[in-house]
Amino acid sequence: AVYIGAPKFGARAAAGVSLEDIATLTREAHEVGARVYVALNTILTDEQLPEAVSLAWDLYGAGADALIIQDMGLLMEKLPPIPLHASTQCHNDSNAKLRTLESLGIEQVVLPREVSTADLPSLLDGVGMRVESFVHGALCVSYSGRCFISEACRGRSANRGACAQYCRMSYDLEDATGRKLLTGQHLLSLRDLNRTEIIEEMLDRGVSSLKIEGRLKDIDYVRNVTAHYRRVVDEIIARRSDEYCRSSWGETELTFTPRPEQTFSRRFTAYNTPLHTPIPMESITPFTNKSVGEELGTLTECRGREVALRLRDMETELSNGDGLLLVSPDETRTAGALVNQVTPQGDGTYRLRLSASVDMSPGATVFRNLNHRLDRLLRRDDASSRKVLISMECEATEQGIILRAAVTEAPSIAVEVQREMALEPAEKDPSARLLDTLSKLGDTPYRVEQPELRLRGLYLPPSVVTELRRELVERLREACRRVMVVERDRRGERLREQRRDFLSRDHSREECGLPESLDFTYNVANRQAERLCRRLGVEGEIAPAMEVAMPEGSVPVMQTRHCLLHRLGYCTREGKRPPFALPLYLVRGQERFRITTDCRACRMTLWLDR
């Protein structure tokens, strides 16, 4: 499947896509059996809700296969029969919540990034709906759907697609007396997610959809990373075809070898530590919030624009135009430049002339954050091509010509075209020419290996066969699109009826995993969302979302698994008493965030004191 932002109300406001482009995408995706999931996953005010409902109908008409939503107020509205997916922004962190979402007719739930494979058995116990999990891309340091720092400080809500990226900013870390412990570091900037090594374990523990974060990324990243995980999953399917199969059709040919570290990456983490236990201290990249790329080797000499380095891997090739990042051994200083000239010195040593002067001591680690040669290759239209294998049959009778075609991986999708015309006996065998004509499928998404001919000694005019082949392929494309839409409507109607049935009855909050009262962190932003919470058994106060009304007093603006006390080496679970005064503060200019820790839950909270 492909997921993409709606024109409005997506969690990446800058990544909205027009209805026309979404309609084009769905047509092309459906021709190869792939689905398109559209993100409509912000919280909505009472004024915005009618527009969001209207947009949902437009997206349904454009052929979208599902809507990814955050605001549960939509469930109380009259929506089209389109499957709904619960965004990770819903903070799907408990078994009771997942069971409730399933009862509400949610087809697929996107798990929080902070959940590990060890947490899956208890989280998914008794859950029958499809489960999606992120496997690659940028990591939010905050618990999913629970980041309010951008809204509280700048009026730019992460829950409304306008995050100001506070977790990627640099900070000073001070103790309670104002003493600086760290200066100018990206102390909340997590490494990028890469779960290559645990994909099979995730599948075995109930995950059925693997999600690659890619909105606002360029084509080189999308093509490279998607191809990498396609190979990983295909290898698992090849070994275990009795258990797993692909959910769409076709095979992709590549002109490159996918390597995720060679396009945008902030170094990698599997982020697979069980909840309520400390994550590794090296989970952040404190020296930069930008792409680090692949590690090349060690700086051996630095003279301004002239540097020398020794490669880790002797097979690595450098080229003019590569981008380098140099990081000091203590990871406190960085420098970067493009490569203008490469001179091999032998034994894995290179002398490079750079585009700008750098000041870095020998011993620094050298990363390549732009692979110029690979980047050019990935941007070519033919870097990857996907084709669906079809069968084709050409039959000649005295009454005319019949062409038939079917999708090999979905044989029930079959079409035929006919042309009534008188055919004459062939003077010589036309098979070779006809096979060539029938196999010319050009830029269509299909390929045929060996069309079957039943000529009965008759002559078929090549021009007529060409016309029929074009008509046949167009009918096949339309048949594929029709099958996908009919299947979507069938699923959507069933799920909508399930939701109506569940909402026709009142439920207890204990059953639904909800507390007696809801504070602002539950993101209730409209009356319909409040109505749903009441239907689910909440009887106490329901506070409005921060975007509707700012809470008074000190506000918890971010909760994270990443803990700065642990980062400094003073985790209280290890009984180490810190030699500085608590609480700690993250400071950036005039902004100051107090830090508290819940060591039993292994959670850090940032507070905005006002």
Side-chain angles (χ1 to χ4, degrees):
V2 177
Y3 83 102
I4 195 167
K8 293 184 69 174
F9 309 127
R12 299 287 189 278
V17 179
S18 70
L19 284 169
E20 293 76 15
D21 284 347
I22 290 174
T24 299
L25 173 62
T26 58
R27 285 195 298 271
E28 294 187 4
H30 290 170
E31 289 170 4
V32 297
R35 295 174 179 172
V36 176
Y37 302 150
V38 180
L40 196 71
N41 58 337
T42 63
I43 58 174
L44 304 161
T45 64
D46 286 314
E47 294 73 25
Q48 292 172 327
L49 197 56
E51 185 180 0
V53 172
S54 177
L55 181 55
W57 280 95
D58 290 339
L59 292 166
Y60 170 76
D65 295 282
L67 302 179
I68 306 171
I69 66 169
Q70 176 185 10
D71 199 311
M72 293 294 114
L74 285 166
L75 301 183
M76 305 296 286
E77 295 285 347
K78 184 179 179 181
L79 296 176
I82 186 171
L84 301 177
H85 295 182
S87 168
T88 187
Q89 292 296 104
C90 296
H91 197 59
N92 307 309
D93 66 334
S94 72
N95 180 261
K97 183 160 190 176
L98 265 58
R99 286 172 177 259
T100 301
L101 289 171
E102 184 173 9
S103 297
L104 284 166
I106 297 296
E107 178 183 53
Q108 182 162 290
V109 60
V110 186
L111 297 180
R113 291 172 173 88
E114 56 268 17
V115 170
S116 74
T117 51
D119 303 313
L120 292 178
S122 59
L123 182 62
L124 303 182
D125 183 37
V127 174
M129 64 179 164
R130 296 207 311 258
V131 175
E132 181 170 277
S133 180
F134 283 92
V135 295
H136 197 96
L139 278 170
C140 300
V141 71
S142 173
Y143 280 86
S144 300
R146 295 293 187 267
C147 185
F148 309 99
I149 192 169
S150 180
E151 170 67 22
C153 296
R154 298 196 182 182
R156 292 177 53 182
S157 170
N159 285 311
R160 298 184 69 182
C163 179
Q165 301 285 305
Y166 266 74
C167 60
R168 300 299 178 190
M169 296 179 181
S170 60
Y171 296 92
D172 296 338
L173 183 65
E174 298 180 358
D175 71 2
T177 68
R179 179 163 65 103
K180 282 185 169 53
L181 306 178
L182 297 170
T183 304
Q185 295 190 29
H186 300 274
L187 295 172
L188 299 176
S189 185
L190 284 180
R191 295 185 178 202
D192 283 354
L193 186 65
N194 183 329
R195 286 179 163 167
T196 298
E197 300 302 322
I198 61 170
I199 294 296
E200 193 161 4
E201 182 183 3
M202 293 174 69
L203 297 178
D204 288 344
R205 295 199 173 194
V207 174
S208 56
S209 179
L210 307 174
K211 190 165 193 171
I212 299 168
E213 180 269 332
R215 285 185 287 170
L216 296 179
K217 292 294 199 302
D218 213 339
I219 190 171
D220 61 326
Y221 168 94
V222 174
R223 183 170 264 154
N224 181 36
V225 174
T226 303
H228 167 73
Y229 283 96
R230 179 74 270 166
R231 286 192 171 183
V232 172
V233 173
D234 282 349
E235 188 276 329
I236 296 171
I237 292 174
R239 285 190 288 105
R240 302 173 62 180
S241 58
D242 57 330
E243 300 171 82
Y244 297 118
C245 65
R246 296 181 60 171
S247 57
S248 59
W249 318 315
E251 295 182 356
T252 302
E253 293 185 357
L254 307 175
T255 62
F256 63 95
T257 300
R259 291 182 60 187
E261 70 277 8
Q262 293 195 348
T263 44
F264 189 100
S265 71
R266 300 180 181 92
R267 298 200 288 188
F268 291 132
T269 173
Y271 208 47
N272 194 39
T273 306
L275 290 170
H276 313 305
T277 56
I279 65 173
M281 286 191 288
E282 64 272 15
S283 296
I284 66 169
T285 307
F287 54 85
T288 184
N289 60 357
K290 295 180 171 57
S291 179
V292 175
E294 62 174 324
E295 184 175 339
L296 290 181
T298 304
L299 187 71
T300 58
E301 185 180 338
C302 182
R303 296 181 179 180
R305 293 181 62 182
E306 303 284 343
V307 302
L309 67 92
R310 181 177 298 279
L311 297 177
R312 292 179 59 195
D313 183 354
M314 302 283 282
E315 301 298 319
T316 300
E317 295 182 0
L318 302 178
S319 64
N320 296 346
D322 284 352
L324 300 185
L325 174 69
L326 284 60
V327 181
S328 63
D330 61 359
E331 296 191 344
T332 60
R333 295 192 307 116
T334 63
L338 295 175
V339 176
N340 282 351
Q341 184 178 345
V342 179
T343 306
Q345 301 292 297
D347 296 327
T349 300
Y350 281 81
R351 188 166 294 277
L352 308 175
R353 183 166 180 80
L354 305 181
S355 61
S357 179
V358 296
D359 179 16
M360 188 64 65
S361 301
T365 304
V366 181
F367 296 88
R368 175 165 59 183
N369 53 16
L370 172 61
N371 185 326
H372 179 66
R373 185 177 299 167
L374 177 63
D375 184 71
R376 290 183 62 186
L377 182 59
L378 288 170
R379 293 177 186 277
R380 290 174 55 99
D381 289 342
D382 62 353
S384 58
S385 60
R386 179 173 182 165
K387 295 290 183 180
V388 175
L389 183 63
I390 64 172
S391 61
M392 189 181 293
E393 177 185 319
C394 176
E395 182 178 2
T397 70
E398 292 183 355
Q399 290 74 38
I401 305 171
I402 304 173
L403 290 189
R404 302 182 181 91
V407 176
T408 302
E409 296 174 71
S412 62
I413 303 178
V415 295
E416 72 171 46
V417 294
Q418 300 184 31
R419 176 73 60 86
E420 292 186 3
M421 60 185 300
L423 299 177
E424 301 292 333
E427 295 181 1
K428 58 181 180 179
D429 186 6
S431 298
R433 185 173 181 182
L434 285 175
L435 288 173
D436 182 62
T437 299
L438 293 171
S439 299
K440 289 181 177 178
L441 300 184
D443 60 357
T444 73
Y446 308 116
R447 68 179 180 89
V448 58
E449 288 184 346
Q450 183 68 30
E452 182 179 347
L453 302 179
R454 298 179 184 176
L455 303 182
R456 295 184 173 87
L458 298 172
Y459 174 74
L460 282 64
S463 60
V464 176
V465 174
T466 298
E467 290 177 14
L468 288 174
R469 183 205 66 212
R470 290 171 179 161
E471 183 181 346
L472 182 75
V473 170
E474 187 52 45
R475 286 194 183 185
L476 185 62
R477 298 173 86 155
E478 177 57 36
C480 291
R481 296 194 292 261
R482 184 168 55 252
V483 164
M484 296 295 291
V485 170
V486 168
E487 172 61 19
R488 175 203 64 179
D489 289 349
R490 185 191 64 79
R491 299 192 329 271
E493 189 59 53
R494 175 179 58 80
L495 293 164
R496 188 167 65 171
E497 286 303 313
Q498 180 177 319
R499 177 163 61 252
R500 287 172 178 167
D501 179 65
F502 184 75
L503 290 175
S504 68
R505 307 183 304 276
D506 290 329
H507 302 274
S508 70
R509 62 176 182 82
E510 293 85 0
E511 168 195 353
C512 299
L514 292 169
E516 182 177 350
S517 300
L518 307 183
D519 62 18
F520 77 91
T521 66
Y522 282 81
N523 296 321
V524 178
N526 56 70
R527 286 189 292 270
Q528 291 288 52
E530 183 175 351
R531 280 185 60 213
L532 177 64
C533 293
R534 297 299 184 196
R535 189 66 58 86
L536 299 182
V538 177
E539 297 178 348
E541 179 185 1
I542 299 178
M546 178 183 286
E547 291 78 1
V548 176
M550 180 66 68
E552 296 181 356
S554 297
V555 181
V557 291
M558 183 186 288
Q559 292 186 344
T560 77
R561 295 194 64 190
H562 168 56
C563 177
L564 287 169
L565 266 181
H566 176 61
R567 168 78 183 174
L568 292 172
Y570 296 100
C571 177
T572 57
R573 292 188 174 193
E574 299 173 2
K576 294 183 179 179
R577 187 178 183 86
F580 41 78
L582 298 178
L584 298 178
Y585 289 85
L586 274 180
V587 181
R588 179 179 173 84
Q590 299 300 311
E591 295 174 331
R592 187 176 179 86
F593 305 103
R594 176 168 52 90
I595 296 172
T596 61
T597 55
D598 179 346
C599 297
R600 178 170 296 181
C602 204
R603 180 185 301 130
M604 180 178 77
T605 302
L606 301 187
W607 294 80
L608 179 62
D609 294 326
R610 296 178 300 159

